[in-house]
Amino acid sequence: MTALALDPAALPTYGHTVRDDIDQLHADFLDLAQRTARLAAVLDRGDYSAAGGRVRAAVGHVWRAAEDLHAAFHHAPPRCAGPDASLARLCGRRMRYLAARVAKKGE
């Protein structure tokens, strides 16, 4: 497998683009996990059961990757922040998010 060469100019900018790209990748990975699980169910029969087991293992990898992307979405800079956003602003956003989650759990 070859390493991908990324052009810094091609990287997404802050704001909507970064979060939207992460969100779209998350949706793509969830779709891939579902499609892969259906393929594994088909391959689990007869002579192809070994292939089905390998494909089923891939489902777990793709699912974990989707979870990682979901976590990345929550750690990405806010849509309104630019590359010059202060650390206090980013941390304040994160603390408000965590406080809201704790409050929801208490309900």
Side-chain angles (χ1 to χ4, degrees), residues 2-107:
T2 61
L4 295 175
L6 293 177
D7 177 15
L11 293 175
T13 58
Y14 280 71
H16 289 284
T17 306
V18 170
R19 294 179 68 87
D20 291 343
D21 285 351
I22 293 171
D23 194 35
Q24 184 58 52
L25 281 171
H26 178 251
D28 293 346
F29 270 68
L30 290 177
D31 180 55
L32 180 61
Q34 290 171 346
R35 290 177 33 217
T36 307
R38 286 193 298 270
L39 177 61
V42 169
L43 291 174
D44 275 344
R45 297 180 183 89
D47 294 338
Y48 299 107
S49 62
R54 298 295 294 186
V55 172
R56 191 167 306 286
V59 172
H61 294 297
V62 173
W63 185 259
R64 282 187 291 284
E67 289 176 342
D68 287 341
L69 283 167
H70 181 76
F73 179 86
H74 288 290
H75 292 284
R79 286 188 165 100
C80 59
D84 298 326
S86 69
L87 185 58
R89 181 176 177 190
L90 297 176
C91 289
R93 174 189 168 265
R94 181 75 180 146
M95 293 309 293
R96 286 189 301 277
Y97 166 75
L98 291 174
R101 279 189 68 184
V102 168
K104 254 186 178 177
K105 284 185 180 182
E107 292 176 357

